[in-house]
């Protein structure tokens, strides 16, 4: 039997299905439009975070680098105060010991004088008043001679009594000084403990600031943006620690040549061999903490500034006589290629960027601006009157 044909019902179902699909497509289209509008608004209304971060990096770098400098000065002063306190405590201890030693000596002298005075008194009692050691016993002797000898004995007793009184007075003074020193010792120990705590706090703050500066230097290299610090802003942010200390633009010396750093320890030298150098060490290393001012050894012009690679943040300066000096593993620089520099002028801050095992300055003297033409920098500076 054939099934009856029902067109109306089929047509009704088909129209409903088409309408539903049309509605769904419309909703999808509206959703896509809304998403596109949101993306456009976000792109137009929200600034690029990387660009903003790049704009803020120099400000932060100036703040952190100047903070390292200030904290280094504060830590140095705290260390000096602590060392002065230690010296004062040692002096006080030595003074207390000296007073105690003098007091013991005075007490020994006082005891001996008292024994002599007792012996004289006992002799006077036995002889009925005559205490001369060589007093004669014969009755025919001259009485005037006996009186003279007795007078001499009395004079000795008077001198003995005066010495005993002076010794007792001196002993009392020394005892009072010893007591005063003992009473002041707890306060001295408290002051020394306070200075020690101040030094530790200053050292911790300095270490944290140096670590932040090292991290910022690595980030600058990773982003390929090793921009030089602004000298005036750094000077302002560094604070009032002496204009000569922070004058990075005019810190020239009277001599034509200068040391690259002022306070340092020489570490790896020119020509040293080891696992860190494939063909030998090409410069002289100065062991200095991060943030130490690095100075130009002579007048010249900055010809290149490195940002990455084995030398990390680095500078190369051409000098008037055709020599080149390189300063590597910096955490920041103050100069850019093309800028002139003076002897002793600050050109950067030391760090540990590049192939470095710790904070130091790698210093080279070259006959050409590129790697591979280095000479012994210590001998080179010695010839020019600079001894390391």
């Amino acid at each position: 039997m054939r099934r009856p044909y029902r067109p109306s019902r089929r047509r009704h179902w088909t129209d409903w299905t088409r309408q539903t699909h049309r509605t769904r497509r419309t909703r999808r289209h509206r959703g896509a439009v809304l998403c596109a509008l949101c993306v456009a608004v976000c792109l137009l209304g929200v600034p690029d975070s990387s660009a903003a971060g790049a704009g803020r990096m120099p400000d932060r770098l100036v703040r952190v680098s100047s903070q390292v400098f200030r904290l280094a000065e504060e830590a140095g002063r705290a260390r000096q105060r602590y060392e002065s306190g230690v010296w004062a405590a040692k002096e006080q201890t030595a003074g207390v010991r000296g007073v105690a030693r003098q007091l013991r000596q005075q007490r020994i002298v006082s005891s001996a004088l008292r024994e002599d005075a007792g012996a004289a008194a006992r002799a006077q009692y036995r002889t009925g008043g005559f205490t001369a050691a060589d007093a004669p016993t014969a009755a025919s002797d001259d009485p005037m001679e006996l009186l003279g000898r007795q007078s001499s004995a009395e004079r000795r007793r008077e001198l003995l009594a005066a010495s005993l009184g002076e010794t007792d007075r001196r002993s009392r003074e020394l005892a009072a000084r010893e007591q005063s020193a003992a009473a002041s010792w707890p306060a001295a120990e408290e002051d020394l403990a306070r200075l020690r705590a101040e030094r530790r706090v200053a050292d911790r703050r300095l270490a944290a600031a140096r670590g932040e500066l090292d991290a910022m230097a690595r980030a600058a290299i990773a982003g390929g943006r090793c921009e030089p610090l602004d000298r005036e802003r750094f000077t302002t942010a560094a604070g009032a620690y002496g204009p000569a200390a922070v004058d990075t633009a005019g810190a020239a010396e009277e001599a034509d040549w200068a040391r690259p750093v002022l306070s340092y320890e020489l570490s790896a030298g020119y020509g040293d061999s080891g696992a860190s150098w494939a063909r030998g060490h090409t410069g002289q290393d100065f062991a200095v903490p991060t943030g130490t001012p690095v100075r130009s050894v002579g007048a010249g012009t900055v010809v290149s500034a490195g940002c990455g690679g084995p030398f990390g943040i680095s500078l190369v300066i051409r000098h008037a006589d055709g020599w080149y000096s390189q300063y590597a593993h910096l955490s920041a620089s103050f100069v850019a290629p093309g800028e002139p520099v003076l002897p002793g002028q600050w050109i950067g801050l030391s760090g540990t960027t590049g192939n470095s095992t710790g904070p130091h300055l790698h210093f080279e003297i070259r006959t050409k601006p590129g790697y591979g033409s280095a000479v012994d920098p210590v001998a080179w500076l010695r010839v020019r009157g600079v001894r390391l």
Side-chain angles (χ1 to χ4, degrees):
M1 181 177 180
R2 297 180 61 184
R3 181 177 296 178
Y5 180 70
R6 298 178 179 178
S8 60
R9 182 178 179 182
R10 187 176 183 84
R11 185 171 55 253
H12 174 75
W13 182 87
T14 303
D15 294 342
W16 177 84
T17 303
R18 291 174 180 175
Q19 183 178 1
T20 303
H21 288 178
R22 189 181 300 111
T23 302
R24 291 178 178 176
R25 286 196 299 269
T26 302
R27 290 176 179 175
R28 292 194 191 99
H29 179 69
R30 291 176 180 174
V33 172
L34 290 175
C35 292
L37 289 174
C38 290
V39 171
V41 170
C42 292
L43 291 176
L44 293 175
V46 179
D48 186 4
S49 61
S50 61
R56 290 191 299 268
M57 179 63 74
D59 295 336
R60 183 185 172 198
L61 185 59
V62 169
R63 177 182 60 81
V64 173
S65 59
S66 60
Q67 184 181 22
V68 169
F69 176 75
R70 291 197 312 271
L71 291 177
E73 292 289 328
E74 293 176 3
R77 296 184 181 185
R79 198 172 297 112
Q80 290 178 356
R81 289 193 298 269
Y82 173 73
E83 292 175 354
S84 298
V86 171
W87 180 84
K90 291 181 178 180
E91 289 291 319
Q92 186 174 5
T93 301
V96 170
R97 291 175 179 174
V99 169
R101 183 172 58 254
Q102 294 178 18
L103 181 57
R104 287 194 302 268
Q105 294 174 354
Q106 289 294 325
R107 286 173 176 173
I108 292 174
V109 173
S110 178
S111 177
L113 291 175
R114 291 180 184 279
E115 184 177 354
D116 291 344
R122 289 191 297 271
Q124 185 178 11
Y125 176 77
R126 287 194 303 268
T127 60
F130 288 95
T131 57
D134 55 348
T137 57
S140 59
D141 289 345
D142 187 0
M144 298 302 296
E145 183 180 355
L146 293 176
L147 291 175
R149 293 179 179 179
Q150 179 63 19
S151 176
S152 178
E154 290 179 356
R155 179 58 180 167
R156 286 197 298 270
R157 288 197 301 269
E158 291 176 358
L159 294 176
L160 180 61
S163 299
L164 183 59
E166 178 64 22
T167 302
D168 290 342
R169 185 189 63 80
R170 180 61 176 167
S171 297
R172 288 192 298 269
E173 290 181 356
L174 291 173
R177 288 176 55 187
E178 184 181 32
Q179 184 178 3
S180 176
S184 63
W185 181 248
E189 287 186 334
E190 184 178 352
D191 290 341
L192 188 60
R194 177 181 56 81
L195 294 174
R196 186 184 300 111
E198 290 180 357
R199 186 197 64 176
R200 290 176 178 174
V201 170
D203 288 343
R204 284 196 298 267
R205 293 178 60 193
L206 177 58
R210 283 171 172 165
E212 186 177 2
L213 181 57
D214 285 334
M216 293 185 65
R218 291 192 296 268
I221 291 177
R225 296 178 60 88
C226 302
E227 299 179 359
L229 294 174
D230 186 87
R231 297 168 179 167
E232 295 182 0
R233 291 166 58 193
F234 177 87
T235 303
T236 303
Y241 283 97
V246 296
D247 187 8
T248 59
E253 297 184 345
E254 295 181 359
D256 294 334
W257 303 98
R259 297 181 179 87
V261 287
L262 291 178
S263 179
Y264 57 87
E265 289 185 7
L266 296 178
S267 51
Y270 177 80
D272 287 356
S273 59
S276 302
W277 313 293
R279 300 179 180 178
H281 195 225
T282 56
Q284 175 63 55
D285 286 352
F286 297 79
V288 291
T290 295
T292 300
V294 176
R295 316 186 308 161
S296 173
V297 295
T301 304
V302 181
V303 295
S304 66
C307 184
F311 294 115
I313 299 176
S314 61
L315 295 168
V316 175
I317 297 175
R318 181 181 66 246
H319 301 286
D321 52 358
W323 294 94
Y324 296 83
S325 59
Q326 187 211 26
Y327 313 80
H329 307 308
L330 305 177
S331 61
S333 65
F334 286 110
V335 293
E339 292 189 28
V341 294
L342 299 173
Q345 176 182 328
W346 284 19
I347 58 174
L349 300 175
S350 64
T352 182
T353 55
N355 293 344
S356 172
T357 58
H360 72 283
L361 168 68
H362 176 83
F363 173 70
E364 288 190 14
I365 292 295
R366 300 172 175 175
T367 58
K368 299 179 180 179
Y371 176 80
S373 61
V375 300
D376 187 352
V378 176
W380 188 88
L381 287 174
R382 187 185 303 117
V383 170
R384 288 155 180 79
V386 179
R387 295 187 176 273
L388 302 177

